[in-house]
Amino acid sequence: MEKGKDRDKNALFKSEIQILDIPVELIHTEGQSVRAMQDDDHVIELAMSISKHGLLEPIVVRKREDGLYQLLAGFHRLAAHFRLNKKTIPSCVYKNQETPVKAIALIENIIRRDMSLGEEVEAVKMLTEVEELSPSSICDLLGKSRDWVMKRISIPNLPEDVKDELLEGRISLKVAEIISGIKED
């Protein structure tokens, strides 16, 4: 493809998105969620983070014919804004009307890469040992619950074989805690 045509294509794509502060009551979520249920703990943590740092990534919406907006991506971010009683939310307004809402929601969830448990443990370790932050400070900084932080602090102290199984994903954190609580004779 010629450079001039490539530039035109990129300029067209950029013009397809507009960022606005949209009143939350104008945003509808029908058909958006691809998860079985809303993760309330995640919404609480997001609300804590948004209250401290603001919304770091706008939600994505599409304008409907009735003047309202359809949520395409950011279900939990929107729920956190409702929880905080915020009146508006920064939103990327996507103008493409052809892609189905559910497809966009699936794409957003599939391509997002969450940190592994091992990466989370290393990050919390760095914050406690290198940055010398208290668990409370880490909670505030990350917008995570005290339980979440304390579990990541305690993982390096688990028996080596249990820790390995946990970090390899072969057992859950709850199972690792139960096994670690069993006294050997």
Side-chain angles (χ1 to χ4, degrees):
M1 183 175 260
E2 296 173 23
K3 284 188 176 183
K5 288 184 181 178
D6 203 18
R7 262 190 245 120
D8 291 345
K9 181 180 170 187
N10 289 336
L12 178 63
F13 176 75
K14 288 179 183 174
S15 70
E16 290 291 314
I17 296 176
Q18 178 182 23
I19 298 181
L20 299 172
D21 271 342
I22 296 176
V24 294
E25 73 268 5
L26 297 181
I27 301 170
H28 292 265
T29 61
E30 307 86 32
Q32 190 277 337
S33 184
V34 294
R35 298 176 190 263
M37 62 179 55
Q38 177 178 306
D39 182 346
D40 290 330
D41 290 340
H42 183 57
V43 171
I44 291 167
E45 290 172 351
L46 271 173
M48 290 168 53
S49 175
I50 290 167
S51 124
K52 178 145 180 107
H53 305 289
L55 184 65
L56 301 177
E57 184 177 339
I59 63 168
V60 180
V61 298
R62 175 166 58 203
K63 192 154 189 172
R64 299 185 340 181
E65 288 181 13
D66 60 5
L68 301 174
Y69 294 86
Q70 174 65 50
L71 182 68
L72 301 176
F75 185 78
H76 286 101
R77 286 170 273 166
L78 179 62
H81 264 66
F82 273 110
R83 183 174 186 83
L84 292 168
N85 293 316
K86 296 214 174 249
K87 302 296 179 217
T88 62
I89 186 168
S91 307
C92 292
V93 181
Y94 187 63
K95 294 183 180 179
N96 177 321
Q97 296 291 327
E98 296 171 18
T99 308
V101 172
K102 191 71 104 178
I104 293 171
L106 279 169
I107 291 165
E108 198 249 349
N109 280 276
I110 290 169
I111 64 169
R112 182 179 46 222
R113 180 185 174 272
D114 295 328
M115 292 178 72
S116 69
L117 181 59
E119 291 169 325
E120 291 172 353
V121 168
E122 286 303 311
V124 170
K125 181 178 178 182
M126 188 273 302
L127 292 172
T128 57
E129 295 179 5
V130 177
E131 298 297 331
E132 299 179 345
L133 295 177
S134 69
S136 295
S137 296
I138 295 169
C139 292
D140 290 341
L141 179 68
L142 301 179
K144 296 288 188 182
S145 67
R146 182 165 183 79
D147 184 55
W148 186 94
V149 172
M150 295 309 294
K151 284 180 179 178
R152 275 123 190 105
I153 288 172
S154 69
I155 288 173
N157 301 322
L158 293 173
E160 212 55 46
D161 56 340
V162 174
K163 181 171 55 174
D164 290 344
E165 293 294 310
L166 172 63
L167 295 177
E168 291 297 324
R170 290 189 282 272
I171 62 172
S172 69
L173 186 51
K174 188 67 176 168
V175 169
E177 291 170 338
I178 292 169
I179 293 171
S180 298
I182 297 172
K183 303 269 190 236
E184 289 187 38
D185 290 326

